[in-house]
Amino acid sequence: MTGASTGIGAASARELARRGFHVLAGVRRDQDADALRAPGIEPVILDITRPGHIAGLAARVGSRAGALRALVNNAAVSVNAPVEALPLEEWRRLFEVNLFGHVAVTQALLPALLRHSGRVVNVSSVGGKVAMATFGPYAGTKFALEAVSDALRRELAPQGVQVVVVEPGGIRTEMGERGIAATSRLAEAMAPELRDRYGPLVQAVIALTAAGTAGGTSAEDAARVIAKAVTAGKPRTRYTVGRDAALLTRLSRILPDRLLDRVAAAVLRPHYPKTTPA
């Protein structure tokens, strides 16, 4: 598991350990490792953007006598910003963590998965199906992860390795709170003309995200879906987490783009600052 420090990752590590797995749980800091360490959970310091860390993980997997049953790619960073307003270095940082890092880990561990007919579980997002305003950078990484997952599933099915995507909606985790804080910092740093153009929209998105996080699915419920994706004998290609994710992914399949645009605008409208007309 590539991101188990907090939230869904930590809950999933505990759920899989409870089900009898030995979980190599990727964390970024020693204090996170100490907090997570438990029977069945072996924390591993892992930054998926660092090749040396990935090589160390592959070596640790190779040193174990047991089979590698599954790779859960769930590490991610989140930030919302208008396409025009997010600096390119921030775009690149998001893609390095949310996409390229997972590709690198998958490439490193596929030999072990192929030997034992293991499974790849990629944790995407409802944002991998629907990109709300200001979600372009984050959703872009998740749309890309969905495409990579589709290709990988078709490439590996003849080899006996299954690829499953999990698409959470709003989840009550620290990641959501960190994403809100990062979005707020970026909004404050925007040039005055960009703040005039997008300020009310960003404030509305922050309010909507905060409401969705507070009322979202628990990390433990999300962990049970991930565990199902790992253990199901005949898994679906995709699992959603939460009613909001199930509804939005369904709407994205059946509504024309313009109608979906109006639905998205209506959802956002009540969250605009009261002094600013939406």
Side-chain angles (χ1 to χ4, degrees):
M1 178 167 294
T2 58
S5 294
T6 59
I8 293 176
S12 298
R14 294 187 179 105
E15 178 66 20
L16 289 167
R18 187 184 67 80
R19 297 186 185 208
F21 288 88
H22 181 88
V23 181
L24 296 178
V27 297
R28 294 287 300 277
R29 304 176 301 175
D30 289 334
Q31 53 264 48
D32 296 329
D34 293 339
L36 188 61
R37 187 175 288 107
I41 301 177
E42 179 185 340
V44 177
I45 299 298
L46 179 64
D47 179 342
I48 62 173
T49 68
R50 297 178 62 176
H53 283 199
I54 296 172
L57 175 64
R60 180 69 189 90
V61 169
S63 71
R64 286 187 50 80
L68 179 61
R69 289 281 305 277
L71 164 62
V72 180
N73 284 315
N74 71 298
V77 291
S78 173
V79 64
N80 295 337
V83 171
E84 181 185 9
L86 188 68
L88 274 178
E89 59 267 24
E90 285 296 311
W91 279 88
R92 293 187 176 102
R93 182 180 72 91
L94 259 66
F95 272 85
E96 284 292 341
V97 177
N98 293 1
L99 179 66
F100 301 139
H102 294 312
V103 172
V105 174
T106 302
Q107 288 177 339
L109 297 188
L110 263 178
L113 291 167
L114 286 163
R115 282 195 297 272
H116 302 288
S117 297
R119 186 171 300 180
V120 178
V121 177
N122 287 331
V123 180
S124 177
S125 166
V126 65
K129 293 296 187 183
V130 181
M132 300 280 284
T134 80
F135 279 74
Y138 179 75
T141 67
K142 295 301 187 178
F143 267 70
L145 184 62
E146 296 266 353
V148 169
S149 299
D150 282 344
L152 191 67
R153 184 181 69 250
R154 291 159 185 155
E155 292 161 4
L156 296 180
Q159 314 300 324
V161 172
Q162 299 187 77
V163 178
V164 183
V165 174
V166 177
E167 299 165 338
I171 307 292
R172 300 193 302 273
T173 68
E174 295 90 337
M175 180 180 169
E177 296 170 1
R178 290 195 297 268
I180 291 170
T183 300
S184 299
R185 288 193 299 271
L186 283 166
E188 292 170 3
M190 283 194 298
E193 64 272 19
L194 294 178
R195 198 176 302 119
D196 289 343
R197 187 146 58 238
Y198 299 115
L201 169 63
V202 172
Q203 291 181 55
V205 169
I206 289 173
L208 176 62
T209 303
T213 299
T217 305
S218 71
E220 289 71 25
D221 284 343
R224 284 188 278 273
V225 176
I226 290 173
K228 183 176 182 179
V230 169
T231 60
K234 294 183 178 179
R236 302 203 301 263
T237 59
R238 284 174 170 79
Y239 293 88
T240 56
V241 181
R243 283 181 290 184
D244 57 338
L247 176 61
L248 280 171
T249 54
R250 191 172 298 118
L251 288 177
S252 71
R253 291 195 296 267
I254 62 176
L255 293 185
D257 287 345
R258 297 297 186 190
L259 182 53
L260 190 58
D261 289 349
R262 290 198 289 272
V263 171
V267 169
L268 196 56
R269 191 172 297 116
H271 298 278
Y272 273 83
K274 299 303 181 184
T275 56
T276 303

